[in-house]
Every structure is written in C-alpha cells, then in structure tokens.
Amino acid sequence: MPKLTPWLDIPSDSDFSIHNLPFGIFSLPEAGKGKRVGMAIGNYVVDVADAAEEGLFEEMQFDYGVLKSNDLNGLIALGKEVTGRIRLTVQQALCDECSVLRNIGGLLAAMDEVTLHVPIKAGDYTDFYSSREHAFNVGKLFRDPDNALLPNWKHLPVGYHGRASSIVISGSEIYRPNGQIVPDGQNHPVFSPSQKLDFELEMAFVIGKETRRGRPVSVDTAEEHIFGMALFNDWSARDIQKWEYQPLGPFLGKSFSSTISPWIVPMEALEPFKMDGPEQHPAPLAYLRDEGKNHYDINLQAAIQPDGGEEKVVCNTNHRYLYWSMAQQVAHHTSNGCNLNVGDLMASGTISGPDPGSLGCLLEITENGSRPVTLGNGEQRSWLQDGDSVILRGYAESEDGIRVGFGECKGKIIAKV
Amino acid sequence: MPKLTPWLDIPSDSDFSIHNLPFGIFSLPEAGKGKRVGMAIGNYVVDVADAAEEGLFEEMQFDYGVLKSNDLNGLIALGKEVTGRIRLTVQQALCDECSVLRNIGGLLAAMDEVTLHVPIKAGDYTDFYSSREHAFNVGKLFRDPDNALLPNWKHLPVGYHGRASSIVISGSEIYRPNGQIVPDGQNHPVFSPSQKLDFELEMAFVIGKETRRGRPVSVDTAEEHIFGMALFNDWSARDIQKWEYQPLGPFLGKSFSSTISPWIVPMEALEPFKMDGPEQHPAPLAYLRDEGKNHYDINLQAAIQPDGGEEKVVCNTNHRYLYWSMAQQVAHHTSNGCNLNVGDLMASGTISGPDPGSLGCLLEITENGSRPVTLGNGEQRSWLQDGDSVILRGYAESEDGIRVGFGECKGKIIAKV
C-alpha cells in the first residue's frame, strides 16, 4: 500500500490517517449547521455536505440531500461504488494543495468542536456470540463447566436479536438498570439496581446493501452487503440476565443501552488487514463454508476509568480471534430468507482471546466477580461502579506503519435517581 | 354504549362497525394515489388524507402531511388526543347525511379495490411469551415435562427481541425457510427446508407514545403508551428453533417472516371490552402489580386452508387467557430504562387457552407432530405443508351486539426454489 502524503498535519499515531477516512454524522450547532455527513481526518472532520456544495464531487452524480441527514443510511444506500468514490475523492483532495478542501474556508472543523451522533439508523440490531473463548468461559460460569460449549455452537454462528432503540453514541451516559435479580442463596427475585453491571468489548458492522425476503446471501458475496465497522459496547447486567434469560435469551439484561463509536470505517480501508480465520472443526455445512480471507487483524482494547481517576487497561484482544467471520454471520442470518436493510447493525459478541489478558468482559476477567481486578488508583472492581467509565479502542496497523483506527467508544455509569 | 347509525350500509357481522374505525395504510395505484392513511368501515375504506383536504378536520390543527405517508407513525406520534378526535370526527361524519364523506365523491374506496400495506414502521419488535398454557405446553414438549414452566415465568413477562425487517402484511407469501435441523435419531445437523413449519396465533400492540432512555413506565400509566392492536402470526420453524435456541433464544426459527393484519384497532374502540385478568400467584413485585381491568375479551380463531380447499378452524381462543397484561409488559420492558419509540411493536406470544380446542399453534395442537389434525378435505397435518394458508381472525362483541373486529391475518406457505 503506497503511503499518501496529505497537506494537513496528522499526528502519526492518529486513528484517522489518510488511509482511513471513516464516515460519521456531526453537527456544529453554534454555526447553525444541522446534522450532516462528515469524514474524520486526524483531528479534523471534513464537512462532506458543504464540500459537495463547493463542487468537490462535481464529476459524480448523486443527490447531495443524503449528506444533510440525521444518519448515513441514505448515503450508504447509494452503494459502495458511490461511497467508495466519495472517499477516494476526499482522499485525493486531502493530498492536493489546490483542492477546495484546502482553499475554501470552513470545510474542515476541529474534531473537538463538533458534536457527533449515532451514525446510522439501525432498523434491526443482531448480536452474535462468535468468540469461542467467550462462549466457553460464559458457559462455564453460567451453566455446566463440563459442557460449557453447547452442541450447536461449532455448527452455526449463534446470535440473537438485540434492542435497536437504546443504541447510543460514544460519550452518552449509561444509566444503571433496575431489574429482577435473585440474591445469592435466595430463590425469589427482588427488584433492585443491578449489582453486576458489565461491559462487553465487541465490534459491529453496518449492512450496506439490502436483501429481499426469501433471498439468502452466500458467504462468497456476503461482504458486498457490509459497508463498514465500528466499536460496540453491549453493556450487560449479569444478574438481571441470569434470572431472565431462559428460555428465550437475553432481554432486559442488555436492552438498557449499547454504545457505538461515532465513525464507521468502510471495508475498503480495512482491506489490507484481512487474514485467514481459525480452522473450523467440524467443517461447517456447505452454506457456511468460508474459503476466503474473511477475518480481520484489528487490535482491540478495553480500559476502565474510575471517576476522576486514571484509566486501567483490563483487556487487550483482537478481532482475529473470532471463530465465525462476518461473511459467515451474514450468510447464516439470511439462510432462512430473513431480509436485511441498509443500516442494520450486526455485532460480534464479546471478543475474548486465548490469553488471560485478552478477556472481553468483567464476567470473564473477574470470574463472575470472584477475582476482582485492581484499577490504577488501587481500587478493586468485581463489577462496574457508578462513576466508572469504560473506554474501548481499536486499530489495525500494517508493517510499514499505516494505521486505520476506530477512535473511542466510551460510556460512563450513572446511578439512576 | 349507545348504538350509532351510519348512513353507509354496513353488514351486521362486519368487523369494521361504526364503533371500530381502525387505522391502516392503503394505496389505489390505478387512481394515482400513493400510500396514505385510511380507516376501515364495513366494506369500505375512508380516504382520510383526501377527506382532510376536503375540510373534514377543519376544526382541528395538525399537519395533514402525516396522512400521506408509508406508515401510521407520524399520525400516531401526534398523540391520542389528536388521533382520538380524528376517529370521532370520522365517526360523526359517517352518521351525518350532510358530511363531506357522503357528499363529495371519491372519499370512500371499496375495500376489495385497495392495496393494504404494513401499517406501521416498527423500529423494534418484541415478542412476549405471556400465555401460561402455551409456555407450559411448550416447556413440556421442548424440555422437561416435570419442570415445564421455568422458575422465572410467574415472576416476570418473559420476552425477547424479534426481527422487525421481515414483518409483512396479511396476504403476503411466506417462504418455507431453510435452516439447520437435526434429524430424529441423529446428532449432527443438516441444512434443509424446515420440516416442522408452524403458525403462532398472537396479538400485537403498537407503541403510540415514546419514552426516554432511563425513564420506566408504571403499570398504571402504561396504556397511555399503547395506540392500538392487531392480529399477528409469528410463523415458526420448530426444527430450526429447537437446534439453535440455546442459550440465546429463538433466531432464524422465527425471523424469516411474521404477518400482521392491516388494521390497527385503537384502544378507544376496545375500551368496552376490558376485563380483570387472572389472579397472579405469587403476587408480582410492586413494579408489576396490576390493579386495573387491563385484560381484553377478544375472541380469536385460527384456521388452516389447504391449497384450493376449505378452511378448517383449528383453534378458538381468547386474548383474556393471557397471564400478563399489556400494561405489565410495557412496565417490565421499560423497567430497566429501555426506551420505546412510536411504532414499536409488541406481541403477546402464542395465545393458548385451557381447553383442547384453544391451543394457538400446531406444536401444541398436534403435540409436536404426534397427533395430526384432520382438515376439511380429510387430509392430515402435523405441520404446515406448501400451499397451506393460515388465517387468523379476532373480534370483540358486546351483549347488545356491538362488534369490534380485526379482519384477517392470512399467509400462504410457498416452497422456496
């Protein structure tokens, strides 16, 4: 991959290099600018809507209306041919001293002055459970240690429907949920604030091309339907979840909030970081067979920051640890004829790795609260306390130092009065 | 309830009496009329959008734009004060010989000439599991007969998130899903068309007033958030469901399609049919305590019609059999701070009653296929075959013959090539 040289000063460790250029929705209320499409570059946001009006895309034909929108759905629905060309046009303009981006004022906004919004309108949100280590560890703690991985797990990417309405943007407060929990040693539930509040380090991807009901997607063509990726924290109340989840799965233990990072990194930017997945035994059924390099080498990290304190990294893991690829997830999801819409979100499930330091949630890190983790200020945590923030980060990096990152996915726990 | 006398001829057994007046979305393509809001009356549809332009609502102030829309969400979001007044205005006009509905042509369309569409845009769809008989029967067949009802069931309205994208309008074809199933006596799955395709007789309700994240709704005020009700068939592939559903609940066994009836009956029309619910032991926790008449006396029926054959009624049941009320479902759903949006759909789960003839799905009726049901043409069914149609119907009726019904919720199974 040839390195590009933009005229803009971009910190060498920025997630938002010239090779990334993710899409998001931002506003600048004081400038009278409503929600609109932006692209992140270094510490700036390209105002794609205003740049279009200044003629940046004059050689393309599309309705600029999709750029002044509350979400990316309209833009994404134009297809990868259009969004890919928009991205390349912006990339070239950021390397071209004569471009309108350089020579017309106001087309770049400082990142710390804009407000970022949930970038997509998810009609449906699906959460998978595709990390073998996570499924094994949870099975061990929640059910039978001798049969931790259920018989279906290696045959299909287990998943469930999640709640789309409560997906919030990084930085939003997370209200500690109330719910039914059964105190240790008792048989009957009480209604109480959750005492076992947890994060889940996940990544999500956004559907970019719709499918029709009754029309499955093959593994080979699944990536045509994936627009891009983001960080995702699927906050979980383990005590609520444990009592409610049988037989129909997680519900209120998850639905109080999920946090998404603001920038959707398009798959084109992640292409250099594709890799083979793990060997799959038993071999999946034909409709799930994945011959390509459909896994991604993306470093992931979770940190906990107590109120006013320093961050402590509690997990270093990688997207490559997932057993099931996104292509397999899409193929499975549509195998029964279920239709997908642009903007639908699919998340990985907690991504844990094989090492003790690579566990993606406190349930696993603390072994269901029995081995608390020590934070930077010396305090211990079995579960999240009010005032704690959780920060997820992720980036891919090539050997020659090209970095494509996701920024932060952050949320702070607030006691609900 | 005083009987009203419309000038329009309405069959005495019509679901769409002058006391009903449900809302839907229809189109009349040949008349150049795009999707718009209609209200059903007898065998006609009131063109609410055109009626507004003719001055029917001249004493009200609202944006008529919500009446020319692909869905009812915009109208519903105006609030019950507005939608209730629209309904009463149409009701009065249908009893007033001098009204514009009578004297201006084209404001009533014959029901059999319009195309009906999915009436709401559901951001999220939740399916409950609130019939004790159904939960018990399924638990007996799927799990342990001695512990059919799981310990949590009587403490909370068990529910899960469903797939919103594949909700289709009555009359749409239902494609038999493919999926992983484990043949009897084997341990490994094969990929195959479902051999155990089932219907589920349910009712759904539509959220009419949004809530904010972190703001629970009490049982007492829950009905303020419910706009109206419809029939709902949550088609299920029992073999796919059985293999996939642990530990995260039903997924592809349900997500291929659900069918909704076209007309949303507003709660105002159902007010006369409210009744006490069953006694609940153990008493629910305080946040779920329901003192009011929050259950509804609605007769429900399911029939199976083989291709070209006659209908055979296979179930007569009633909404009153539900253990958990809709108000309790809303209170539970929001108890953790999960926010609701206008247009969100919540379904009851299969509604079975105590009698053998009141079981709401084939899984129960045929005892997991072991006792086939005989159709009108003498054919037997353990599960649905290609070409079979399932028709759900429902109505409430007062002692003095006032009828408020839901029309049909119909779907036909098609082999997917």
Side-chain angles (χ1 to χ4, degrees):
Chain A
M1 184 161 53
K3 272 205 177 183
L4 299 170
T5 310
W7 43 259
L8 193 67
D9 186 36
I10 298 170
S12 62
D13 63 348
S14 174
D15 279 351
F16 306 124
S17 70
I18 188 72
H19 299 279
N20 188 349
L21 294 171
F23 292 89
I25 296 290
F26 78 101
S27 61
L28 265 171
E30 59 284 8
K33 286 190 177 180
K35 290 184 185 178
R36 56 190 50 221
V37 173
M39 295 173 77
I41 178 74
N43 296 323
Y44 294 88
V45 177
V46 177
D47 187 329
V48 182
D50 277 6
E53 286 179 3
E54 296 293 348
L56 182 60
F57 307 112
E58 64 187 356
E59 290 176 18
M60 299 179 64
Q61 286 194 328
F62 66 98
D63 174 10
Y64 294 168
V66 300
L67 302 174
K68 290 189 178 170
S69 172
N70 292 338
D71 53 63
L72 295 172
N73 293 34
L75 173 64
I76 293 172
L78 298 177
K80 287 196 190 198
E81 205 168 307
V82 176
T83 55
R85 198 156 160 213
I86 288 173
R87 181 169 164 273
L88 291 180
T89 302
V90 169
Q91 195 175 53
Q92 283 161 9
L94 286 167
C95 298
D96 174 6
E97 296 276 354
C98 302
S99 84
V100 293
L101 288 187
R102 177 114 169 108
N103 296 302
I104 294 183
L107 298 184
L108 290 176
M111 181 79 81
D112 56 12
E113 289 177 4
V114 308
T115 303
L116 297 167
H117 304 278
V118 176
I120 44 98
K121 173 135 187 67
D124 280 287
Y125 147 50
T126 300
D127 198 22
F128 285 96
Y129 191 57
S130 287
S131 154
R132 190 171 62 83
E133 286 76 11
H134 172 68
F136 180 85
N137 294 334
V138 171
K140 199 171 65 174
L141 294 164
F142 259 44
R143 286 181 300 275
D144 177 2
D146 293 329
N147 296 290
L149 218 52
L150 291 171
N152 57 14
W153 199 91
K154 285 194 163 186
H155 291 280
L156 53 82
V158 170
Y160 71 105
H161 307 294
R163 180 80 191 176
S165 73
S166 54
I167 296 172
V168 297
I169 191 68
S170 177
S172 303
E173 294 181 338
I174 303 301
Y175 308 119
R176 179 180 296 274
N178 288 318
Q180 289 197 20
I181 64 179
V182 180
D184 287 341
Q186 297 189 27
N187 291 321
H188 290 289
V190 297
F191 190 71
S192 156
S194 170
Q195 305 297 306
K196 293 190 170 186
L197 191 52
D198 201 355
F199 69 90
E200 289 195 333
L201 187 169
E202 306 196 9
M203 292 200 77
F205 62 93
V206 177
I207 295 299
K209 183 179 164 188
E210 68 178 11
T211 70
R212 285 169 58 195
R213 202 170 52 98
R215 298 289 177 93
V217 173
S218 70
V219 171
D220 291 344
T221 61
E223 290 219 346
E224 293 173 16
H225 296 268
I226 303 176
F227 172 73
M229 296 175 70
L231 300 168
F232 198 73
N233 184 343
D234 191 34
W235 306 92
S236 298
R238 300 301 183 188
D239 37 12
I240 298 173
Q241 181 184 355
K242 184 167 186 181
W243 171 238
E244 75 171 358
Y245 91 104
Q246 285 188 325
L248 301 187
F251 184 45
L252 303 189
K254 305 273 192 175
S255 65
F256 55 97
S257 284
S258 307
T259 304
I260 191 169
S261 58
W263 298 104
I264 308 295
V265 177
M267 298 317 289
E268 294 92 324
L270 294 165
E271 188 68 25
F273 309 104
K274 292 184 94 162
M275 58 180 297
D276 288 324
E279 280 198 61
Q280 296 185 313
H281 294 292
L285 290 168
Y287 81 100
L288 282 177
R289 217 154 284 166
D290 188 350
E291 311 287 354
K293 289 184 185 297
N294 283 329
H295 283 67
Y296 289 83
D297 185 9
I298 301 171
N299 302 293
L300 297 166
Q301 186 184 83
I304 299 177
Q305 181 180 30
D307 213 2
E310 283 185 11
E311 288 184 26
K312 169 68 179 278
V313 174
V314 296
C315 169
N316 281 296
T317 184
N318 194 299
H319 194 264
R320 67 194 293 175
Y321 294 138
L322 290 173
Y323 188 84
W324 297 103
S325 68
M326 295 184 284
Q328 288 174 315
Q329 291 168 344
V330 168
H332 184 62
H333 205 313
T334 59
S335 64
N336 68 342
C338 178
N339 56 317
L340 309 179
N341 287 318
V342 169
D344 285 352
L345 208 64
M346 299 196 189
S348 54
T350 305
I351 305 174
S352 292
D355 312 315
S358 63
L359 304 171
C361 64
L362 284 173
L363 176 67
E364 294 171 77
I365 295 170
T366 71
E367 295 185 17
N368 197 17
S370 66
R371 297 164 64 98
V373 67
T374 303
L375 301 187
N377 60 3
E379 290 182 12
Q380 292 201 313
R381 289 290 184 276
S382 292
W383 306 101
L384 296 172
Q385 292 191 3
D386 295 339
D388 288 351
S389 293
V390 176
I391 306 107
L392 309 183
R393 295 188 179 88
Y395 67 94
E397 196 165 39
S398 68
E399 284 180 10
D400 52 351
I402 288 177
R403 183 175 166 117
V404 172
F406 292 82
E408 282 187 356
C409 180
K410 183 172 181 173
K412 184 175 183 174
I413 306 299
I414 304 291
K416 191 65 195 163
V417 288
Chain B
M1 183 160 50
K3 272 206 178 184
L4 299 171
T5 311
W7 42 260
L8 193 66
D9 186 35
I10 298 171
S12 62
D13 62 347
S14 174
D15 279 350
F16 306 125
S17 70
I18 188 72
H19 300 280
N20 188 350
L21 293 172
F23 293 88
I25 296 290
F26 77 102
S27 60
L28 265 171
E30 58 285 10
K33 286 189 177 179
K35 291 185 185 176
R36 55 191 50 222
V37 173
M39 294 173 77
I41 178 73
N43 296 323
Y44 293 87
V45 176
V46 178
D47 186 329
V48 182
D50 276 6
E53 286 180 3
E54 296 293 347
L56 182 61
F57 307 113
E58 63 186 357
E59 289 177 19
M60 300 180 63
Q61 287 195 326
F62 66 98
D63 174 10
Y64 294 167
V66 299
L67 302 174
K68 290 189 179 173
S69 172
N70 292 337
D71 53 64
L72 295 172
N73 293 33
L75 173 64
I76 294 172
L78 298 177
K80 287 196 189 198
E81 207 168 307
V82 176
T83 55
R85 202 160 156 209
I86 288 173
R87 182 169 163 274
L88 290 181
T89 302
V90 169
Q91 194 175 52
Q92 285 161 7
L94 287 167
C95 298
D96 175 5
E97 297 276 354
C98 302
S99 82
V100 294
L101 288 187
R102 177 114 169 107
N103 296 302
I104 294 182
L107 298 183
L108 290 176
M111 182 80 80
D112 56 11
E113 290 178 4
V114 308
T115 303
L116 297 167
H117 305 277
V118 176
I120 43 98
K121 173 136 188 67
D124 280 288
Y125 148 49
T126 301
D127 198 21
F128 286 95
Y129 190 58
S130 286
S131 155
R132 190 171 62 82
E133 285 76 11
H134 173 67
F136 180 85
N137 293 334
V138 171
K140 199 171 63 174
L141 294 164
F142 259 44
R143 286 181 299 276
D144 176 3
D146 293 330
N147 296 289
L149 218 54
L150 291 171
N152 57 13
W153 198 92
K154 285 194 163 187
H155 291 280
L156 53 82
V158 170
Y160 71 105
H161 308 294
R163 180 79 191 177
S165 73
S166 54
I167 296 171
V168 297
I169 191 68
S170 177
S172 304
E173 295 181 337
I174 303 301
Y175 309 119
R176 178 180 296 273
N178 289 318
Q180 290 197 18
I181 65 179
V182 180
D184 287 340
Q186 297 189 27
N187 291 320
H188 290 289
V190 297
F191 190 72
S192 156
S194 170
Q195 305 298 307
K196 294 190 170 186
L197 191 52
D198 201 355
F199 69 90
E200 289 195 332
L201 187 169
E202 305 197 9
M203 291 201 77
F205 62 92
V206 177
I207 295 299
K209 184 178 162 188
E210 69 177 11
T211 71
R212 286 170 56 195
R213 202 169 52 99
R215 298 289 178 92
V217 174
S218 70
V219 171
D220 291 344
T221 60
E223 291 220 345
E224 294 173 15
H225 296 268
I226 303 177
F227 172 73
M229 296 175 70
L231 300 169
F232 198 74
N233 185 343
D234 191 34
W235 306 92
S236 298
R238 301 301 182 187
D239 38 11
I240 297 174
Q241 182 184 354
K242 185 169 184 179
W243 170 239
E244 74 172 358
Y245 90 103
Q246 283 187 327
L248 301 187
F251 184 45
L252 302 191
K254 304 273 193 175
S255 65
F256 54 98
S257 282
S258 307
T259 304
I260 190 168
S261 57
W263 298 105
I264 309 294
V265 176
M267 298 317 289
E268 294 91 325
L270 295 166
E271 188 69 25
F273 309 103
K274 294 185 91 162
M275 58 179 298
D276 288 324
E279 279 199 61
Q280 296 184 314
H281 294 292
L285 291 168
Y287 82 100
L288 282 177
R289 217 154 284 167
D290 188 350
E291 311 288 354
K293 289 184 185 297
N294 284 329
H295 282 67
Y296 289 83
D297 185 8
I298 301 170
N299 302 293
L300 297 165
Q301 186 184 83
I304 299 177
Q305 181 180 29
D307 213 3
E310 283 184 11
E311 289 183 25
K312 168 69 179 278
V313 174
V314 296
C315 168
N316 282 295
T317 184
N318 194 299
H319 195 263
R320 68 195 292 175
Y321 293 139
L322 290 173
Y323 187 85
W324 297 102
S325 68
M326 294 184 285
Q328 288 174 315
Q329 291 168 344
V330 168
H332 184 61
H333 205 313
T334 60
S335 64
N336 69 341
C338 178
N339 56 318
L340 309 179
N341 288 318
V342 169
D344 285 353
L345 209 64
M346 300 195 188
S348 55
T350 304
I351 305 174
S352 293
D355 311 316
S358 63
L359 303 171
C361 63
L362 285 173
L363 176 67
E364 293 172 78
I365 295 169
T366 70
E367 294 186 19
N368 197 18
S370 66
R371 296 163 65 97
V373 68
T374 304
L375 302 187
N377 59 1
E379 290 183 11
Q380 292 201 313
R381 289 290 184 276
S382 292
W383 306 101
L384 297 173
Q385 292 191 2
D386 295 339
D388 286 352
S389 293
V390 176
I391 306 108
L392 309 183
R393 296 188 178 88
Y395 67 95
E397 196 164 39
S398 68
E399 284 179 10
D400 52 350
I402 288 177
R403 184 175 166 118
V404 172
F406 291 82
E408 283 187 356
C409 180
K410 184 171 180 173
K412 184 176 184 174
I413 307 299
I414 303 292
K416 192 63 196 164
V417 288

